[in-house]
Amino acid sequence: MTLAIRILGGLALIFALSLPASAQTVSYAEAMRLFTRACGKDVERTCKGVSIGEARMLNCMKKNESKISDTCKTTLDATIRSLELRAAAQEAAFPLCEKDIRRFCKEYDPGNGRILRCLLSNEKQVSAGCNQAITDAGWR
Amino acid sequence: MKTFLSTLVAAAAITAASVGGAMAQASVSQAELINNLQGLGARSTILNVDQLRQDVTVKISQEASEDVVNRNQYLDYFASLPNFSVEILFDFDSAIIKPDSYEILGAMADALHNPVLLRDQFLIVGHTDAKGKREYNLELSQRRADSIRNALTTVFKVDPARIQAFGLGEEQLRDPNNPDAAVNRRVQLLNLGPMP
């Protein structure tokens, strides 16, 4: 783990902790389900033919905010935030569990989720911070 | 067949048991994806997708009519890898993914980001039904597979080094007796094993 990633992870955590409790992370699937429910029609109307890749569709929707429904407007911002939060939480998770991994999961080789399974099976002993990080990453 | 197999270098024996391949559906859970996609262990499959593409194009040009489509075993090789099929909806004749399929893209990303699969590489294979010309379907399915790869690696931040995209057109129909059936239009996600 490079220092840069650790710092990034730390910053992501600070960012995550500074948010209200209501800003819990959700899966990408859930974020997109909520988005499509609120904005699916607006996408077809306002940004038809715009690819979702490289955030083109999200940018198009943002640019045309005056043309989209109020529900969608709120959901659009929430979606962008959800995607960022989940990515940050996943980036931060292993750095935040580093001590716990050294303590409880030293003998496990990384890969195929072995370290994660070890942390999950030691949930009672694992630090609260690490447990929360696993939850926020959506890996429970 | 021979040239094709030469492009498929399996680092170890291929498991005969096919897993996954559930029917296309509107939504799919992360757990379902992970359960079907895991399990290759330490074996890596090295694929030369460009070569694969070229071989399929040659195959199409050699088979004179739409009716002479040989089911080649090499395509069945894909079915032997841990795989999962999803249905992704596109605009007509286009690689634009419909909003109704954003959730499935999200679920695919959730699975790919899970530590269980985090070290593995994947191949996205796009399939069409048999309506229209084979060459055209090959090209459209490639653009669609690229479009899915692009969404996963940008919006959902999956490492681009982990995913390749390959359009197979109508060359591997799921239901050869009903070549125009919707069941043939699908996207397969294949686990190629750990990153080399």
Side-chain angles (χ1 to χ4, degrees):
Chain A
M1 195 63 57
T2 67
L3 184 63
I5 289 176
R6 264 196 238 179
I7 291 169
L8 270 182
L11 286 176
L13 175 74
I14 291 162
F15 176 61
L17 291 179
S18 66
L19 290 159
S22 62
Q24 275 173 352
T25 73
V26 298
S27 69
Y28 289 129
E30 177 65 2
M32 296 322 286
R33 188 182 70 80
L34 296 173
F35 175 79
T36 300
R37 199 170 64 182
C39 299
K41 287 203 178 96
D42 292 273
V43 173
E44 297 281 17
R45 205 171 31 232
T46 311
C47 296
K48 187 153 185 69
V50 178
S51 157
I52 182 177
E54 279 139 29
R56 278 193 218 109
M57 180 276 298
L58 290 172
N59 289 338
C60 169
M61 292 292 279
K62 198 78 192 137
K63 213 180 328 174
N64 290 287
E65 237 172 2
S66 60
K67 294 180 201 156
I68 65 181
S69 64
D70 286 342
T71 334
C72 172
K73 224 179 287 181
T74 320
T75 308
L76 175 62
D77 289 331
T79 304
I80 294 169
R81 202 170 142 98
S82 281
L83 296 178
E84 284 167 1
L85 271 178
R86 179 44 70 100
Q90 293 191 337
E91 185 123 3
F94 279 116
L96 285 169
C97 289
E98 220 184 306
K99 271 191 196 143
D100 295 282
I101 293 169
R102 270 206 304 265
R103 195 158 159 216
F104 302 108
C105 309
K106 249 198 329 240
E107 69 274 32
Y108 289 87
D109 291 328
N112 289 336
R114 280 183 286 260
I115 303 276
L116 176 64
R117 265 194 295 275
C118 163
L119 289 171
L120 291 175
S121 62
N122 286 292
E123 190 186 341
K124 294 233 167 72
Q125 290 85 43
V126 162
S127 68
C130 172
N131 272 324
Q132 188 60 46
I134 292 171
T135 303
D136 289 344
W139 292 340
R140 206 163 278 286
Chain B
M1 172 77 186
K2 233 176 206 158
T3 51
F4 209 101
L5 268 182
S6 67
T7 67
L8 295 173
V9 183
I14 297 154
T15 42
S18 170
V19 285
M23 294 298 286
Q25 51 208 277
S27 77
V28 56
S29 77
Q30 182 190 169
E32 205 177 347
L33 276 161
I34 293 171
N35 286 340
N36 284 289
L37 289 172
Q38 67 181 350
L40 214 58
R43 285 162 300 176
S44 294
T45 298
I46 298 153
L47 273 190
N48 182 343
V49 173
D50 289 334
Q51 184 65 50
L52 220 60
R53 209 171 284 134
Q54 206 181 317
D55 289 348
V56 173
T57 311
V58 169
K59 176 179 177 301
I60 290 175
S61 68
Q62 283 169 350
E63 287 165 350
S65 82
E66 291 269 329
D67 305 325
V68 198
V69 180
N70 299 314
R71 190 181 170 93
N72 288 29
Q73 288 168 338
Y74 58 75
L75 295 182
D76 294 334
Y77 169 80
F78 288 145
S80 73
L81 296 169
N83 73 92
F84 196 81
S85 290
V86 292
E87 184 183 27
I88 300 222
L89 302 172
F90 294 87
D91 284 354
F92 178 69
D93 228 11
S94 147
I96 301 291
I97 299 163
K98 282 192 177 296
D100 283 343
S101 292
Y102 290 168
E103 182 185 345
I104 287 187
L105 285 181
M108 287 163 82
D110 287 326
L112 293 173
H113 281 296
N114 191 287
V116 174
L117 302 177
L118 207 51
R119 297 198 159 202
D120 294 338
Q121 301 182 86
F122 291 84
L123 181 67
I124 297 166
V125 185
H127 300 269
T128 65
D129 61 30
K131 280 182 222 127
K133 281 204 162 302
R134 288 171 72 188
E135 294 88 342
Y136 182 81
N137 286 334
L138 196 68
E139 189 265 340
L140 179 63
S141 63
Q142 182 65 52
R143 282 194 288 133
R144 287 178 166 176
D146 286 337
S147 174
I148 293 166
R149 178 181 183 275
N150 185 242
L152 290 174
T153 56
T154 58
V155 179
F156 302 106
K157 303 190 173 67
V158 177
D159 178 0
R162 293 176 60 207
I163 315 187
Q164 300 183 78
F166 180 45
L168 244 188
E170 60 181 89
E171 302 308 308
Q172 195 185 37
L173 297 171
R174 172 176 250 164
D175 185 356
N177 296 322
N178 295 292
D180 292 351
V183 69
N184 295 305
R185 300 192 289 268
R186 70 219 191 265
V187 172
Q188 270 178 303
L189 199 56
L190 303 169
N191 188 341
L192 301 178
M195 300 259 280

